[in-house]
Amino acid sequence: MCEIFCFNSNTPKQVNECLECFYNHSEDHPHGWGLANMQSDEFVIDKEPVKATCSQHLKDILSHPVVGKNVFAHIRLATVGEIVSPNCHPFHELDDNNRSWMLIHNGTIFDYPGLDKYKEHENGDTDSERILLFIIDKVNEFEKEKGAPSTIKERFNLLNGIVADLSKNNKLNLMIYDGDLTYIHSNMRKTLYYLKDEEGFLVASTPLDDDERWKEVELNKLFGLIDGNIIFESEEHDNEFIQTEEHEKALENFLNSLQE
């Protein structure tokens, strides 16, 4: 599986120390890294299909202050898709109203036939990219029917339904950003944590330090964050993911195939 990271705040903050702690986990997640920083309504995205601790490009980035209100990071342990740049997170797409969307994913889609048609349209070959393309299509359909751009609340409600449905029989730890709202979702125990303090809102697959204020993200809910605060919280769905021996075997077989 992968690890994911998000920083959300009301004012730009430097996050180098948090990122360095996060990327140090790449020894166990060696198949790529990604970093997205939202600056002045524009995504700045860097990613490579190499281990984060071995990347000179990442070292160069972190040798300068990384400052932002909305910063996302990812380290990949491949479960679907080749180890190539198009399969590294974050994924970024525009909807029909020219709104930018970004997604990072920790998990695997074992069962959702509705994503299969996007295999012909994605740049890489991951289930994660297909999730974003699916979401974009649903947003476009909603806004076309409405005849106008969606509101923040409408997008949250729409994604809540999509994410709840996608999470059935699938591990779906997600971080999504739509230019306004950061969406957070987890449906597997002890795989996503948050820390809220005066600096902002940190979310990561594992706590980044020994601060006792780290708490597990509530399962089976979608959260919407703006400026370091939760402004939307969904009802709880029933689709907790519990990894079975069958899941573990499928993932092991895939990892073994990468070494052949």
Side-chain angles (χ1 to χ4, degrees):
M1 298 296 181
C2 306
E3 287 197 17
I4 55 181
F5 166 94
C6 166
F7 174 73
N8 182 270
S9 180
N10 62 346
T11 56
K13 300 287 196 315
Q14 183 172 329
V15 292
N16 292 62
E17 185 175 348
C18 294
L19 288 172
E20 287 168 0
C21 291
F22 174 75
Y23 285 124
N24 280 338
H25 299 173
S26 66
E27 292 302 316
D28 295 322
H29 303 81
H31 299 141
W33 64 270
L35 176 65
N37 192 354
M38 188 65 179
Q39 296 278 10
S40 302
D41 299 325
E42 181 181 0
F43 283 114
V44 178
I45 295 179
D46 292 277
K47 56 185 182 179
E48 285 184 311
V50 298
K51 187 193 300 183
T53 51
C54 295
S55 170
Q56 184 59 49
H57 182 42
L58 181 58
K59 290 177 183 176
D60 291 342
I61 292 172
L62 295 179
S63 69
H64 300 88
V66 178
V67 179
K69 292 173 56 177
N70 298 284
V71 180
F72 302 85
H74 187 276
I75 46 178
R76 186 176 184 224
L77 179 64
T79 57
V80 176
E82 295 181 84
I83 303 174
V84 293
S85 184
N87 287 339
C88 293
H89 307 223
F91 299 101
H92 173 238
E93 292 290 339
L94 296 175
D95 65 24
D96 286 347
N97 278 309
N98 211 37
R99 174 177 294 278
S100 292
W101 290 78
M102 186 279 316
L103 176 145
I104 56 179
H105 175 213
N106 167 24
T108 303
I109 302 298
F110 294 97
D111 179 24
Y112 203 86
L115 296 183
D116 290 347
K117 66 179 181 180
Y118 299 100
K119 292 179 180 179
E120 299 178 2
H121 306 291
E122 62 184 337
N123 294 312
D125 60 349
T126 67
D127 50 1
S128 304
E129 185 180 4
R130 294 192 283 273
I131 293 170
L132 180 57
L133 295 174
F134 179 71
I135 288 171
I136 295 292
D137 268 1
K138 294 301 182 183
V139 171
N140 289 338
E141 290 171 10
F142 176 87
E143 294 184 335
K144 183 177 181 181
E145 184 175 339
K146 181 184 178 185
S150 54
T151 66
I152 292 175
K153 180 59 172 174
E154 286 172 336
R155 289 196 299 278
F156 181 82
N157 290 341
L158 179 62
L159 261 71
N160 180 42
I162 293 171
V163 168
D165 195 47
L166 277 168
S167 65
K168 296 175 184 176
N169 303 317
N170 301 307
K171 184 184 176 187
L172 201 70
N173 286 5
L174 288 175
M175 296 174 179
I176 302 170
Y177 185 67
D178 69 4
D180 293 312
L181 196 63
T182 293
Y183 306 80
I184 304 292
H185 176 267
S186 175
N187 71 331
M188 185 175 179
R189 294 183 186 277
K190 299 182 179 180
T191 58
L192 199 62
Y193 296 82
Y194 75 94
L195 173 64
K196 177 76 167 69
D197 61 17
E198 64 279 359
E199 293 294 306
F201 211 106
L202 276 172
V203 188
S205 296
T206 59
L208 300 178
D209 55 31
D210 296 328
D211 194 316
E212 295 180 354
R213 292 175 296 171
W214 283 96
K215 299 179 181 178
E216 188 175 356
V217 172
E218 284 188 73
L219 287 185
N220 304 338
K221 288 186 175 184
L222 185 67
F223 295 92
L225 280 63
I226 292 180
D227 291 341
N229 293 295
I230 296 173
I231 64 166
F232 298 127
E233 179 179 338
S234 75
E235 296 293 323
E236 184 178 345
H237 61 69
D238 298 324
N239 302 320
E240 178 181 352
F241 180 74
I242 299 173
Q243 191 158 298
T244 65
E245 290 186 6
E246 184 178 353
H247 294 131
E248 292 173 357
K249 185 176 181 180
L251 297 176
E252 182 181 354
N253 289 339
F254 178 78
L255 290 172
N256 288 338
S257 72
L258 296 177
Q259 301 171 5
E260 293 176 355

